[in-house]
Amino acid sequence: AQSVTQLGSHVSVSEGALVLLRCNYSSSVPPYLFWYVQYPNQGLQLLLKYTSAATLVKGINGFEAEFKKSETSFHLTKPSAHMSDAAEYFCAVSDRGGNTPLVFGKGTRLSVIA
Amino acid sequence: EPEVTQTPSHQVTQMGQEVILRCVPISNHLYFYWYRQILGQKVEFLVSFYNNEISEKSEIFDDQFSVERPDGSNFTLKIRSTKLEDSAMYFCASSAMGTPSPLELFFGEGSRLTVL
């Protein structure tokens, strides 16, 4: 069975600083990995996904994530935080592809300080 | 832009009462899902639905839960006799078949259920 661990339930960064949200996965087969974002009072929105093509994946709003098999990690980064990035971020994994259920992490709340 | 809509946004109910949460998936999508998030915990898979039947369900989705697509647009989650531990945010999601990535789920804003 697959699982996801997100380190840090709350991360706070200054505006303009690097954003780094950590995600480690466990999967017995090659995984598909995702980052979703939830802005206040909105649903979950896909930021980016890794589906066994390039290991560095670029998403919306300047975010990117790198799949590192040796570290079983899929950390989310953004070079310069904006106030509008404040939200809850969820890492998710699926290990079979197709329409299989995603397994989510607990989420990390990102705060951006002016 | 097409979106998944959920109603109600918040429902308060007494323990033992039946609750129906409603979802309108994106119109050309064929796969439908319910997830839930208990406050402070992970987003958990409940059930997936395709071609008018459940395709997969989790251990959480016991006999108290049921799903239905009563017409061409709605997708409902029914909890027959609510318990305190059913209090959570319930998310509906849908995905299209034949897209580059059928795994791309589109989520609604969620329905918050509070059981007293």
Side-chain angles (χ1 to χ4, degrees), chain B residues 31-76:
Chain B
Y31 294 81
F32 313 113
Y33 310 83
W34 284 101
Y35 283 79
R36 79 173 185 189
Q37 185 182 27
I38 295 172
L39 188 64
Q41 299 187 25
K42 297 184 178 187
V43 176
E44 302 171 293
F45 167 75
L46 292 179
V47 66
S48 60
F49 191 86
Y50 169 69
N51 199 25
N52 285 319
E53 61 182 25
I54 291 173
S55 48
E56 197 159 353
K57 62 182 181 179
S58 71
E59 293 177 352
I60 302 168
F61 195 87
D62 61 21
D63 292 343
Q64 292 296 314
F65 292 89
S66 63
V67 289
E68 191 177 36
R69 188 157 162 80
D71 53 42
S73 59
N74 290 285
F75 179 51
T76 62

Side-chain angles (χ1 to χ4, degrees), chain A residues 44-64:
Chain A
L44 297 164
Q45 179 184 359
L46 183 67
L47 263 183
L48 50 79
K49 59 182 182 275
Y50 166 76
T51 56
S52 74
T55 56
L56 182 62
V57 181
K58 294 187 185 300
I60 61 172
N61 301 337
F63 283 93
E64 61 182 38

Side-chain angles (χ1 to χ4, degrees), chain A residues 24-99:
Chain A
N24 288 89
Y25 70 90
S26 172
S27 179
S28 56
V29 297
Y32 292 172
L33 293 158
F34 306 81
W35 276 99
Y36 280 83
V37 61
Q38 185 180 27
Y39 298 105
N41 301 315
Q42 295 187 26
L44 297 164
Q45 179 184 359
L46 183 67
L47 263 183
L48 50 79
K49 59 182 182 275
Y50 166 76
T51 56
S52 74
T55 56
L56 182 62
V57 181
K58 294 187 185 300
I60 61 172
N61 301 337
F63 283 93
E64 61 182 38
E66 186 173 6
F67 172 67
K68 291 188 177 181
K69 184 179 177 181
S70 61
E71 299 177 8
T72 61
S73 69
F74 190 58
H75 302 331
L76 182 70
T77 60
K78 181 173 180 177
S80 175
H82 295 159
M83 297 297 290
S84 59
D85 295 327
E88 187 95 17
Y89 291 80
F90 295 92
C91 184
V93 63
S94 174
D95 68 0
R96 285 185 285 155
N99 287 284

